[in-house]
Amino acid sequence: MGRVTTRCRAQHLTAESAIARPETLAVEEPMEIRVNGRPITVTMRTPGSDIELAQGFLLTEGVITRRDDVLAVRYCRGSAGPDGANTYNVLDVTLAGDVPPPAVDITRNFYTTSSCGVCGKASIDAVRLVSRYSTADQTVEVAASTLTAMPDRLRSAQKVFSRTGGLHGAALFDPDGTMLVVREDIGRHNAVDKVIGWAFENDRIPLSRAVLLVSGRASFELTQKCAMAGAPILAAVSAPSSLAVELAVQSGITLVAFLRGDSMNVYSRPDRVTQ
Amino acid sequence: MGRVTTRCRAQHLTAESAIARPETLAVEEPMEIRVNGRPITVTMRTPGSDIELAQGFLLTEGVITRRDDVLAVRYCRGSAGPDGANTYNVLDVTLAGDVPPPAVDITRNFYTTSSCGVCGKASIDAVRLVSRYSTADQTVEVAASTLTAMPDRLRSAQKVFSRTGGLHGAALFDPDGTMLVVREDIGRHNAVDKVIGWAFENDRIPLSRAVLLVSGRASFELTQKCAMAGAPILAAVSAPSSLAVELAVQSGITLVAFLRGDSMNVYSRPDRVTQ
């Protein structure tokens, strides 16, 4: 594997000059996730931590909840590329017999319910209906100065980003600031699924004492993943969306955004951030 | 409508102080796109230019190609929110009788083909098979200095971004630097679908003489949208992915990235950029 970056030649143009030079690119490849042999979704991802990605995805979609729910995860042998070699782009997750397989259109889970129109409230209700964990009840606290130190630590650990400028990062921290895991991906939802998949594999779900940090913006989808993993604190370097804030308020998640320099905005449950 | 931004109160924390203050948020709401009454996809988007978004999406997925293919686009009345009011989050596109409706799992179109494993090459082949336009044959040229002026013009036109920090922008330019249209969205693919939908409504497809500029990174998906709309030049402010470069090379699209200050990298077909 190790297909995280690749090289190419590009023309570098400035006002005065044009030179051909080598550039490092972040790798993007499709990955198909199958459950019990049936294709569920295709995501464009950066190869690496694929098994974490698949399990994090299935956990945050409400399909699996604990390690015993998964019997095996394997790359499909049949998925050969043009040269006949395995592409390592198809993963099959075999569920335990008592775990119901997901509906075909899994990605619609949290955006719409059949009983209601498609709207933000329906999306939020769907997450609250499906999630097994009460993020609102978590009593964890984190110091503001611990939070403001996190983005620099994420960036230092994002080795690929520094070479390509092309990857999102996600990390889990303990409330005392200990960094537990960092993952990178071309898709920010994939980076989050990878760290949640890591937690799943290490029996740390629900993430009742963790801070989930993301290098970009906080969307509905990322907040939903927090709720599904039972993580009470989501911190983002950039802006939150309206629906991310609404879901955080409804789920009792502490949503921190614009976490830059020595300041931040706290949009919900500020009682968990101490000064 | 006009639901592009909303207000909330947040705690603004610094090392020394904590104050509650109003913040402006970019609105995120789900939108379901139906074709002939059948749900096709749900996308999280910023309301506004929804009809362009739906048509741009269907064009770049290969379902429609010209204005006559669409008989009508309407908000569904049935999609009532919790208060009984129309959510304006469900759009139904009625196709002309001779236009085949899309397959159910439309989003898998470009990532995998049944004859081959899931891999980058299969994804690229799928785009080349479906696209009606030969971007490789376009003879348009653009001056490097015209390109370097574009990001500032996009930012000036991104009125919402300056207030929320939360929206991606996409714009179309003529080769002489005339800005044709700008759209913003919480999802960068949606911003691109909106400008392509604008071009579709104004009979400008294929976009044989246009530069498509995006405020962020260049992914496979955005390059695919360029190929499907027949746009020969894609310019991105940030990094490209490996698969974006491969698709651009194979489709003869000029891919410009890291377009910042007075410099840029050109990854494919640099002959279209003059100095």
Side-chain angles (χ1 to χ4, degrees), chain A residues 37-255:
Chain A
R38 197 164 54 95
I40 296 297
T41 192
V42 177
T43 184
M44 300 305 277
R45 63 61 168 107
T46 302
S49 307
D50 288 340
I51 292 175
E52 290 173 356
L53 170 56
Q55 293 182 114
F57 173 81
L58 292 175
L59 177 98
T60 59
E61 294 291 331
V63 178
I64 58 176
T65 47
R66 54 184 212 282
R67 287 191 67 185
D68 291 350
D69 290 348
V70 175
L71 292 185
V73 186
R74 355 184 140 75
Y75 289 103
C76 295
R77 281 206 197 163
S79 68
D83 56 357
N86 194 327
T87 62
Y88 293 104
N89 282 339
V90 181
L91 264 188
D92 190 21
V93 179
T94 308
L95 301 180
D98 59 340
V99 179
V104 177
D105 197 354
I106 193 172
T107 53
R108 287 172 55 88
N109 274 0
F110 295 108
Y111 300 138
T112 172
T113 65
S114 56
S115 61
C116 175
V118 174
C119 68
K121 186 172 181 311
S123 307
I124 291 169
D125 288 348
V127 174
R128 300 184 69 199
L129 205 65
V130 176
S131 180
R132 291 165 198 244
Y133 309 116
S134 173
T135 35
D137 295 341
Q138 305 298 346
T139 53
V140 60
E141 290 187 343
V142 61
S145 58
T146 304
L147 282 169
T148 53
M150 289 178 184
D152 277 349
R153 301 195 47 211
L154 172 59
R155 263 188 298 273
S156 316
Q158 275 197 260
K159 288 171 190 161
V160 178
F161 180 84
S162 61
R163 279 186 292 156
T164 67
L167 291 186
H168 294 276
L172 290 174
F173 290 86
D174 266 346
D176 66 2
T178 306
M179 193 161 67
L180 302 172
V181 62
V182 177
R183 292 292 182 264
E184 293 180 276
D185 202 281
I186 201 124
R188 59 186 181 162
H189 53 290
N190 290 334
V192 169
D193 281 341
K194 285 175 178 178
V195 300
I196 291 175
W198 172 89
F200 177 83
E201 291 198 342
N202 288 277
D203 282 328
R204 285 173 176 263
I205 302 289
L207 282 164
S208 26
R209 294 186 57 74
V211 177
L212 175 61
L213 174 69
V214 295
S215 61
R217 304 169 188 186
S219 64
F220 170 78
E221 188 180 22
L222 298 194
T223 314
Q224 166 239 316
K225 288 180 187 295
C226 255
M228 293 300 296
I233 304 175
L234 171 60
V237 172
S238 296
S241 74
S242 64
L243 207 53
V245 172
E246 284 178 58
L247 176 57
V249 169
Q250 293 290 326
S251 303
I253 288 172
T254 298
L255 177 58

Side-chain angles (χ1 to χ4, degrees), chain B residues 208-219:
Chain B
S208 25
R209 295 187 54 75
V211 177
L212 175 61
L213 174 69
V214 295
S215 61
R217 304 169 189 184
S219 63

Side-chain angles (χ1 to χ4, degrees), chain A residues 11-14 17 23 26-28 32 80 82 89 108 117-118 121 166 217 220 241-242 263-266 275, chain B residues 11-14 17 23 26-28 32 80 87 89 108 117-118 121 166 217 220 241-242 263-266 275:
Chain A
Q11 288 279 329
H12 181 70
L13 303 187
T14 65
S17 66
E23 296 284 335
V27 171
E28 179 183 26
E32 179 171 295
N89 282 339
R108 287 172 55 88
V118 174
K121 186 172 181 311
R217 304 169 188 186
F220 170 78
S241 74
S242 64
S263 73
M264 72 194 77
N265 286 342
V266 188
Q275 264 190 315
Chain B
Q11 288 278 329
H12 180 71
L13 302 187
T14 66
S17 66
E23 296 285 334
V27 170
E28 180 183 26
E32 180 171 294
T87 62
N89 282 340
R108 286 172 56 88
V118 175
K121 186 172 181 311
R217 304 169 189 184
F220 170 78
S241 74
S242 64
S263 73
M264 72 194 77
N265 286 342
V266 188
Q275 264 190 318

